[in-house]
Amino acid sequence: MSGSRIQTIFYSAAALISLVGLAEATYLTVIFLSGETAVCGGSPDCFRVLGSSYAKIGKIPVSSLGALAYFSAFSFATFAGFGYARAQKFFTWTVTAMFCMTLWLLFVQAFRLHAFCRYCLFSAALVFLLTGLVVARPVAETQKT
Amino acid sequence: MRRFLPFIIVIVVALLAVGGGAYFYLAKRSANAPPKFAKTEGEVAGESVHVLGPANAAVTLEEFGDFQCPPCGKLSEPINHLQKQYNLRVIYREFPLPMHAHAKDAAFAAEAAGRQGRFWQMHDLLYREQAVWSNSTDARALFNAYAGMLQLDLDRFRKDMDSTDVQQQVELDQHRGAAIGVKNTPTIFLNNEALPPNQLNPDGLPAVVEAAMKKAKPSS
């Protein structure tokens, strides 16, 4: 398989994962802005997290920042998949920032709120997948040579 | 063409995300919006009560409810639906039963949310999540979380929950209920006539309301 083909597959996977994250973060943002309450499926912890002061920064919901981050990751992955070299760097930086933010949010849930929210855990899993792809990328690029 | 493809993909996804989000937002807003004539707080015979629907509605449904009572929870959604369908006037009164450990706190939480104009949202949420907080050892922590989800001022919510003002409001509703013979929940009055218990279920209530509408407006 050619190097550019591996890159295309790699960035397509990253773009797809980012799209899933974008959909989830958009849902949570709309829920927040419309004054509706998320469907937590009978999980009290979910309410504890989504109803906590950590769920927003000032009046801005954290999920809207997540939507922005996922959209950025999607855009950079798409451009990188089409061979834009600079987009690869931006993609790596974006995913690194998302990874750090995810670690902070997991810390908050584990040690401050003592509760985990299923939406947040799902998002964390997506970010870990993206991070895994970023870490695995040099291997893929080495293989092509 | 290939040169422009990533731009097209990104723009399409951006439009879908913003457009889909806006559509979902508007759908949620209209579903949550109170009816045209709704008042979340109103006055009935000089008392402060929670009212939905127009004052001149053909049918008034007055419910004495307990947030921890399962049959009340089952009726919550059908009553909301009937209110919208027939433009009913719905009055909700607190009647927490002593046998339910968290019912009084739940009533205080709803009243405290009402002090910030979100009684009905808390009312719906408490019924929707009834099975969760009813079995919780720390229901208050959950009520605080619900208040957070409803974007209430949490300090004020906590203070209001413990205030004598809110507690008196609940007691007033209970006294009113006791004075007109309410003993159990849900107790529902349609145009001041108490409904028999066998009609207080999601299947029976719509039929009774429809009959009351026909009776109130025989020509239509």
Side-chain angles (χ1 to χ4, degrees):
Chain A
M1 201 182 289
S2 73
S4 72
R5 181 141 178 83
I6 290 175
Q7 273 212 344
T8 305
I9 292 169
F10 165 84
Y11 284 112
S12 299
L16 277 177
I17 293 167
S18 304
L19 264 186
V20 175
L22 175 63
E24 189 211 33
T26 304
Y27 165 75
L28 287 177
T29 304
V30 169
I31 287 289
F32 182 95
L33 295 177
S34 64
E36 174 71 89
T37 50
V39 177
C40 280
S43 160
D45 284 359
C46 171
F47 280 106
R48 284 201 186 103
V49 177
L50 295 178
S52 76
S53 58
Y54 294 98
K56 54 192 172 190
I57 299 170
K59 296 213 162 185
I60 300 169
V62 168
S63 54
S64 68
L65 302 179
L68 198 64
Y70 278 117
F71 179 70
S72 303
F74 169 79
S75 304
F76 295 138
T78 304
F79 278 100
F82 279 87
Y84 286 77
R86 201 176 281 179
Q88 297 180 11
K89 279 185 191 167
F90 287 141
F91 176 72
T92 306
W93 292 342
T94 304
V95 172
T96 306
M98 290 167 81
F99 181 71
C100 293
M101 185 67 176
T102 298
L103 288 185
W104 161 247
L105 292 174
L106 286 175
F107 169 81
V108 165
Q109 289 175 79
F111 299 106
R112 299 211 173 161
L113 299 173
H114 304 289
F116 287 95
C117 138
R118 61 184 62 183
Y119 296 105
C120 315
L121 291 179
F122 181 65
S123 180
L126 293 178
V127 171
F128 287 149
L129 272 177
L130 286 175
T131 309
L133 283 175
V134 167
V135 172
R137 185 179 45 176
V139 178
E141 282 176 349
T142 310
Q143 278 174 348
K144 81 180 178 185
T145 52
Chain B
M1 179 64 189
R2 190 180 149 80
R3 198 175 145 202
F4 295 109
L5 198 54
F7 291 95
I8 293 168
I9 292 172
V10 167
I11 289 168
V12 166
V13 166
L15 288 176
L16 280 176
V18 173
Y23 176 79
F24 187 37
Y25 173 80
L26 291 174
K28 286 278 171 198
R29 288 291 286 191
S30 62
N32 287 338
K36 205 175 170 187
F37 304 102
K39 282 161 74 178
T40 53
E41 313 298 322
E43 289 215 341
V44 172
E47 297 172 82
S48 170
V49 292
H50 304 291
V51 187
L52 273 179
N56 60 351
V59 173
T60 295
L61 183 155
E62 184 174 12
E63 177 187 6
F64 286 81
D66 169 335
F67 288 110
Q68 202 174 342
C69 127
C72 302
K74 282 182 187 149
L75 281 179
S76 169
E77 198 49 45
I79 288 175
N80 283 344
H81 182 72
L82 289 168
Q83 194 283 322
K84 283 178 186 149
Q85 187 181 354
Y86 295 110
N87 204 16
L88 302 180
R89 185 175 190 230
V90 172
I91 300 172
Y92 186 86
R93 293 187 187 274
E94 311 284 2
F95 204 79
L97 298 172
M99 65 178 147
H100 292 143
H102 305 308
K104 216 160 197 177
D105 274 347
F108 296 158
E111 293 298 325
R115 296 291 190 273
Q116 295 184 48
R118 309 215 61 182
F119 171 82
W120 291 103
Q121 287 85 350
M122 183 61 93
H123 163 282
D124 292 349
L125 186 53
L126 286 169
Y127 277 133
R128 197 182 85 194
E129 298 296 320
Q130 185 189 63
V132 178
W133 59 262
S134 292
N135 296 316
S136 169
T137 49
D138 190 1
R140 274 205 170 219
L142 279 174
F143 298 151
N144 288 335
Y146 298 161
M149 281 282 278
L150 294 173
Q151 296 170 50
L152 302 181
D153 175 338
L154 279 181
D155 288 336
R156 191 178 156 200
F157 175 78
R158 288 192 194 103
K159 271 184 204 156
D160 284 343
M161 259 192 87
D162 293 325
S163 72
T164 49
D165 193 28
V166 155
Q167 289 168 11
Q168 276 174 358
Q169 174 67 50
V170 173
E171 280 170 20
L172 266 176
D173 277 358
Q174 285 182 300
H175 288 318
R176 180 186 154 81
I180 56 174
V182 176
K183 290 189 176 104
N184 297 310
T185 58
T187 294
I188 291 180
F189 294 88
L190 267 191
N191 287 344
N192 295 321
E193 280 183 36
L195 296 183
N198 64 351
Q199 288 172 331
L200 299 177
N201 56 67
D203 295 325
L205 191 61
V208 190
V209 169
E210 195 181 340
M213 287 299 294
K214 280 183 184 158
K215 195 174 157 189
K217 290 181 181 173
S219 56
S220 58

